[in-house]
């Protein structure tokens, strides 16, 4: 497939980051969301990110303008009719993703590749939401998308070799490193990372150490670039809870039980950076 046109569903943090790197790689991007205000906010974010790269001399003004010109926005799924690949980056909710995927499948051609940026949900189960599930695959990008060098490529039971090969080609064209993972909750990276963050929350909940000391301990003692509680705030505590609950349900194993404090903080609306308060506070 001569891949040129990509659709991205969801203009939030992940969606606008995916749109940005696709446009920089020369793809024509249709960024779709239900809200015009969300789309305008996404374009502003992409513009600021590109301005930052120009200021660092890693991008020219001409390259920035060319990338912005590659992105068009829409609130109508009908605008996806000519795309060859769609990446769904909606909120990590199974029923929501199913509805979005069904709307995508109703508008795109029969040979259009459909991918989900899910970080924990079953690719096999999501693939069952679309016609011709052999064309469905998981493409798990990491936050912040323009900075992080990895894409997890996840094969569902139905995913064809051709779909997998195209996903690997896309990762290469985007300048990312791809690793292929099987369809298990959390795949590879989150399967290891998120329970570690949950354990840090349990340590904090027990009063063993302050949030600052827990983060400093893991940064300085394990050479991690960011402490686990600061990372939880960056990911979003609601997203973290959704992933842990998916693990708990998927593996039926008590070692994946979400920390009670995590559930309580989400109930209180303390979701991390996006609300200004999590395990740390933000201005």
């Amino acid at each position: 497939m001569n891949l040129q046109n990509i659709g991205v569903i969801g203009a939030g943090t992940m969606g606008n980051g995916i749109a940005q790197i696709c446009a920089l790689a020369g793809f024509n991007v249709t960024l779709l969301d239900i809200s015009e205000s969300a789309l305008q906010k996404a374009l502003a974010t992409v513009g600021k990110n590109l301005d930052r790269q120009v200021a660092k001399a890693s991008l020219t003004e001409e390259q920035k303008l060319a990338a912005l010109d590659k992105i068009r926005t829409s609130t109508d799924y009908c605008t996806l009719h000519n795309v060859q690949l769609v990446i769904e980056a909606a909120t990590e909710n199974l029923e929501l993703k199913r509805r979005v995927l069904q709307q995508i499948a109703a508008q795109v051609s029969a040979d259009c590749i459909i991918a989900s940026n899910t970080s924990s949900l079953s690719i096999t189960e999501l693939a069952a939401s679309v016609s011709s599930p052999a064309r469905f695959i998981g493409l798990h990008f990491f936050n912040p998308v323009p900075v992080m060098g990895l894409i997890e490529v996840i094969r569902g039971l139905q995913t064809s070799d051709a779909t997998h090969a195209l996903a690997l080609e896309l990762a290469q064209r985007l300048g990312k490193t791809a690793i292929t993972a099987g369809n298990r909750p959390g795949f590879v990276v989150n399967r290891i990372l998120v329970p570690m963050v949950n354990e840090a929350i349990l340590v904090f909940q027990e009063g063993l150490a302050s949030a600052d000391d827990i983060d400093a301990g893991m940064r300085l003692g394990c050479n991690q670039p960011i402490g686990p509680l600061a990372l939880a705030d960056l990911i979003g505590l609601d997203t973290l809870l959704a992933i842990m609950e998916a693990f708990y349900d998927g593996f039926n194993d008590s070692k994946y039980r979400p920390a009670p404090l995590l559930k309580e903080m989400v109930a209180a609306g303390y979701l991390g950076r996006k609300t200004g308060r999590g395990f740390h506070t933000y201005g």
Side-chain angles (χ1 to χ4, degrees), residues 5-20 22 28-43 46 70-83 85-91 96-97 99-108 115:
N5 304 314
I6 294 177
V8 179
I9 312 301
T13 301
M14 298 304 294
N16 68 57
I18 294 168
Q20 176 182 323
C22 289
N28 300 311
V29 180
T30 300
L31 179 60
L32 191 144
D33 202 291
I34 59 171
S35 163
E36 188 61 43
S37 62
L39 290 167
Q40 293 308 309
K41 182 179 178 182
L43 285 179
V46 171
K70 288 282 186 181
I71 303 173
R72 71 166 180 161
T73 62
S74 177
T75 58
D76 188 348
Y77 280 83
C78 291
T79 56
L80 299 174
H81 70 278
N82 69 334
V83 302
L85 167 70
V86 181
I87 303 169
E88 168 273 310
T91 303
L96 172 63
K97 286 185 181 289
R99 290 197 300 272
V100 168
L101 292 170
Q102 288 166 359
Q103 288 177 279
I104 293 169
Q107 298 298 332
V108 299

Side-chain angles (χ1 to χ4, degrees), residues 71-137:
I71 303 173
R72 71 166 180 161
T73 62
S74 177
T75 58
D76 188 348
Y77 280 83
C78 291
T79 56
L80 299 174
H81 70 278
N82 69 334
V83 302
Q84 299 149 302
L85 167 70
V86 181
I87 303 169
E88 168 273 310
T91 303
E92 195 76 350
N93 176 281
L94 179 60
E95 291 309 315
L96 172 63
K97 286 185 181 289
R98 279 175 171 162
R99 290 197 300 272
V100 168
L101 292 170
Q102 288 166 359
Q103 288 177 279
I104 293 169
Q107 298 298 332
V108 299
S109 65
D111 58 355
C112 175
I113 303 300
I114 303 176
S116 176
N117 182 53
T118 181
S119 56
S120 62
L121 299 175
S122 168
I123 298 302
T124 296
E125 189 171 1
L126 290 173
S129 303
V130 306
S131 57
S132 304
R135 60 178 167 159
F136 192 86
I137 197 161

Side-chain angles (χ1 to χ4, degrees), residues 63-225:
Q63 288 172 317
K64 180 196 90 170
L65 294 174
L68 289 172
D69 193 51
K70 288 282 186 181
I71 303 173
R72 71 166 180 161
T73 62
S74 177
T75 58
D76 188 348
Y77 280 83
C78 291
T79 56
L80 299 174
H81 70 278
N82 69 334
V83 302
Q84 299 149 302
L85 167 70
V86 181
I87 303 169
E88 168 273 310
T91 303
E92 195 76 350
N93 176 281
L94 179 60
E95 291 309 315
L96 172 63
K97 286 185 181 289
R98 279 175 171 162
R99 290 197 300 272
V100 168
L101 292 170
Q102 288 166 359
Q103 288 177 279
I104 293 169
Q107 298 298 332
V108 299
S109 65
D111 58 355
C112 175
I113 303 300
I114 303 176
S116 176
N117 182 53
T118 181
S119 56
S120 62
L121 299 175
S122 168
I123 298 302
T124 296
E125 189 171 1
L126 290 173
S129 303
V130 306
S131 57
S132 304
R135 60 178 167 159
F136 192 86
I137 197 161
L139 289 177
H140 180 210
F141 294 80
F142 291 80
N143 185 30
V145 177
V147 175
M148 302 299 281
L150 181 70
I151 301 176
E152 277 185 309
V153 178
I154 306 100
R155 298 188 67 153
L157 193 62
Q158 313 95 316
T159 305
S160 71
D161 289 344
T163 299
H164 179 236
L166 186 134
L168 296 179
E169 178 190 333
L170 173 67
Q172 185 176 37
R173 289 178 65 181
L174 294 176
K176 304 291 187 184
T177 298
I179 62 171
T180 299
N183 184 52
R184 295 292 183 273
F187 318 127
V188 173
V189 176
N190 279 345
R191 172 79 176 273
I192 297 167
L193 176 68
V194 174
M196 183 273 289
V197 175
N198 190 62
E199 190 66 28
I201 297 170
L202 288 169
V203 168
F204 178 68
Q205 178 183 302
E206 292 171 13
L208 189 60
S210 69
D212 286 338
D213 283 353
I214 291 168
D215 282 347
M218 295 304 290
R219 285 198 322 272
L220 303 176
C222 297
N223 204 30
Q224 294 184 355

Side-chain angles (χ1 to χ4, degrees), residues 236-242 261-271:
L237 302 195
D238 52 341
T239 300
L240 193 68
L241 177 59
L261 179 59
L262 174 61
K263 297 171 74 173
E264 188 173 10
M265 290 179 72
V266 171
Y270 301 158
L271 307 183

